[in-house]
Amino acid sequence: MEKNRRTFLKAAGASAVGLSIAPAMKAHAFGEYFMPSDQTGQQENALIGKHWGMVIDLTKMTEEISAKLTEVCHAAHNVPKLDNIKHEIKWIWGEHFDHAFTDHMNLYISDAMKHAPVPVLCNQCENPPCVRACPTKATFKREDGIVLMDFHRCIGCRFCMAACPYGSRSFNLQDPRNGLENRKPTNPQFPTRMKGVVEKCNFCAERLAVGKIPLCAEVSEGAITFGDLSDPESEIRKVLSASFTIRRNPGLGTGPSVYYIVGGGGDHA
Amino acid sequence: MTNDKPKIIAGLVIFVLIATSPVWLNRGKTKEAPTPVMAAEATAKGYCVMPKAEMKAKHMKVLDGWRNSVVRNGQRVYVNESGKQFTMSLSNTCLECHTNKAEFCDKCHVYASVNPYCWDCHVDPKEK
Amino acid sequence: MLEKAIKGTKNYWLLLIVLSGIAGIGFLVYLNQFSFGLGITGLRRDVTWGFYIAQFTFLVGVAAGGVMLVLPYYLHDYKAFGRITILGEFLAVGAIVMCLLFIVADMGQPIRAMNVILNPTPYSMLFWDFVVLNTYLVLNIVIGWKLLEAERNYVKPPAWVKVLIYISIPCAFGIHTVTAFLYSGLPGRHFWLTAVLAPRFLASAFAAGPSFLILLCLIVRKFTNFDPGTKAMRTLMKIITYALIANIFFFACELFTAFYSGIPSHISHIQYLFMGHDGHGVLVPWMWTSMTLMVTAIGLLIVPSIRNNEKMMPVLCLMVFFGTWIDKGMGMMAGGFVPNPLHQYNEYVPTVKEIIITLGVYATGFMVLTILYKIAVSIKEEVKA
């Protein structure tokens, strides 16, 4: 009797667990559902590259341009302005040279560079530490080199933020709509985010898809060149071969895809 | 061995009562399932990305497939069986015709207690 | 055996009621966090892990510390530990329950937790941490239960339990190594980017875990008829002494590498923690308290007459426990994030709500621990009688 009751209880418990897990397993089949590939495509004028990159010419950068980059980018992507500075979200912003290039310590740097605002954003690394850290592949590298966020999948563990050596990522510590006027997006064509997910610059993937270059490059008044680093004929490669450029902390092995032209002093300033 | 029979039976009765509570608490309060209302724009268009019956049954799967294909594969255009092309976008394609989110989407979702988190991020561009 | 958990003294029930009360308050505050977001904590853009993950890291160590009973008994046949290995195993269960709860409390989207399983990502250390923690949890529940059952029925435990025990030993080292790998493999976080982090974690774990165990043993001895044994506790004290010395030694190695190499990014975090930077220094008193506690504890522990004195044991254990708690909890978290990779100093202080939620998790873990210990001790008493 004793034995039988035990066996019965064990069996009952096991089947209860099985019954409650089964529907959940069905609903969350392993692997995501994609549209069949013969039913999907890209717009004809979409910009397609193998390794998108950016060159930011600091000799042409002014406070005004730098501020404008932030403003238009944040407006286009519904980046909130939150009262609490701790909850700040930013995709691209002007940084002091010392903070942007921590491995280029130099007391006697040219005045032009000392005061030039350095726009910093996600470096779209070739070997992104954030992608390595993410436990759900919510952040991943596309074939064209862009490191993207899948906000639907992010669990908000913030491992990617600890992994990013550039401080490029922000976390939604509260509903980002709290920081939008009337809780309405500034750009209704683009989604907002929700609380509890990490976000960052997406190299304007949504604009590339419709044949436009990233917004910051477009409004930069020639200070930012965008293009395919893998194409030797591209404009960006020409710019790179014509000037001396540096990247942020390349010694960490991340392979940043954003390059900076630093001024030589007098002539350019 | 003590006699636990009454305790066990009392426990079982309480368990059954709690487990079936949704049934008897809602007795006599049945509501008819709402029918989604088509917006004039949608009716005027005359077609959707898939036949109506299919959309009715599979719209959630379609949206799931759309978002994965767009976000993870960078494929933003959907070609349906009759060769028509659509941008895969909830806000910019679906709601372009279905201008009445409240009557078309929310009504049934509320009735069925389905709370998709689409609207936490995606917006109804018509909503001011 | 579960029936032992529902037959207890008034004090037992009182303890459970108090703990569930604290857990309940913690849960209510958590509901606030759940609806508003992690913004109710002191976390910020530059310091994205705080009090929760600090507790998590520390408690993984406490869980791993249980192996300091299991290993000597099963690999070296050290008999004095035989009767209390169960306490180590159940401590591991309680500690891991808290670890898992802290992870959930720290998530921005806790309802999506299962994404870690649905999208397994073998190159992410967090995925492996999830795997080893759950494995270790299950192992300890099964092992503890089977051993206790065998003891109660005066039979030998089944042979496969022994196999599980042998697996659980490297697993204990594994949970803490993988937890250290969460931190030590990140470029640009120079405070963590050190190969000695995992060994240092293990050293502090083998100091903190056993000191907590001794405290529990003393409580068990005072309130029940089961005596864990003076010899066992003295041996544990010896283990604590070595582990704590190793912990401080590893820290000294860090100091040497950072300051002798003179590399600013390695120095700046340590300087921030112990000296502060430009008016930023909320942790300075904490860090010195931690160091004072640990160094003083070493000074006392190396004297056999003090170490073996049962009046001194709780004092020493508390010193070790809190010293390592500050060092590995807050020190390790804030030290890694401040200054940020752009060399800016933005400090972190936990909020009251955050601390209440933390206490709630601790209370839940202690409830699990109380119930498990009640079962274990009741059976020990029964067998003895």
Side-chain angles (χ1 to χ4, degrees), chain C residues 63-79:
Chain C
V67 81
M68 283 293 113
L69 286 177
V70 176
L71 189 149
Y73 179 64
Y74 286 98
L75 296 189
H76 301 282
D77 199 24
Y78 184 71
K79 295 269 189 319

Side-chain angles (χ1 to χ4, degrees), chain C residues 185-255:
Chain C
L186 306 177
R189 303 279 178 192
H190 290 94
F191 187 62
W192 297 334
L193 191 67
T194 160
V196 87
L197 197 71
R200 193 177 154 201
F201 270 23
L202 284 168
S204 79
F206 296 151
S211 58
F212 192 56
L213 256 174
I214 292 182
L215 291 170
L216 291 173
C217 285
L218 292 170
I219 293 172
V220 165
R221 173 190 272 181
K222 184 154 187 201
F223 291 97
T224 73
N225 292 323
F226 172 64
D227 180 9
T230 307
K231 193 180 173 202
M233 284 194 272
R234 285 185 174 164
T235 309
L236 275 178
M237 289 302 280
K238 215 178 280 172
I239 291 172
I240 294 170
T241 312
Y242 279 113
L244 194 59
I245 291 172
N247 185 37
I248 293 292
F249 169 70
F250 288 139
F251 177 63
C253 293
E254 291 283 7
L255 290 182

Side-chain angles (χ1 to χ4, degrees), chain B residues 1-2 42 48 54 68-69 77 85 89 91 93-94 103 106 122:
Chain B
M1 202 71 205
T2 51
C48 194
E54 240 176 292
N68 284 321
S69 295
V77 177
Q85 295 198 356
S89 166
S91 291
T93 303
C94 302
E103 290 287 294
D106 301 347
H122 294 275

Side-chain angles (χ1 to χ4, degrees), chain A residues 35-107:
Chain A
M35 296 311 286
S37 57
D38 59 328
Q39 292 174 16
T40 61
Q42 278 163 311
Q43 209 166 297
E44 257 170 43
N45 61 347
L47 297 181
I48 299 187
K50 284 206 182 82
H51 181 190
W52 292 122
M54 208 174 248
V55 177
I56 301 180
D57 189 342
L58 295 181
T59 64
K60 293 181 183 159
M61 192 53 62
T62 62
E63 289 288 350
E64 291 74 38
I65 299 176
S66 172
K68 187 167 69 179
L69 301 181
T70 307
E71 204 186 305
V72 295
C73 167
H74 287 187
H77 297 111
N78 300 320
V79 174
K81 285 188 182 72
L82 292 156
D83 297 330
N84 189 340
I85 184 76
K86 289 183 181 174
H87 300 181
E88 192 181 21
I89 311 272
K90 42 190 183 182
W91 284 26
I92 180 170
W93 70 100
E95 198 58 79
H96 278 285
F97 190 91
D98 296 355
H99 293 308
F101 299 99
T102 50
D103 53 353
H104 287 87
M105 289 178 189
N106 183 349
L107 263 183

Side-chain angles (χ1 to χ4, degrees), chain A residues 186-203:
Chain A
T186 36
N187 174 10
Q189 309 294 310
F190 199 79
T192 68
R193 265 71 59 199
M194 65 200 297
K195 68 164 186 268
V197 298
V198 174
E199 63 179 85
K200 68 170 193 74
C201 156
N202 64 351
F203 245 30

Side-chain angles (χ1 to χ4, degrees), chain A residues 201-212:
Chain A
C201 156
N202 64 351
F203 245 30
C204 282
E206 82 284 2
R207 285 172 59 90
L208 297 177
V210 294
K212 295 178 185 163

Side-chain angles (χ1 to χ4, degrees), chain A residues 55-60 97 101 104 109-110 112-113 116 118 243-247 259-265 268:
Chain A
V55 177
I56 301 180
D57 189 342
L58 295 181
T59 64
K60 293 181 183 159
F97 190 91
F101 299 99
H104 287 87
I109 192 173
S110 74
M113 281 305 108
V118 181
S243 313
F244 175 69
T245 48
I246 58 173
R247 293 182 290 172
Y259 293 73
Y260 294 87
I261 299 176
V262 287
H268 296 280

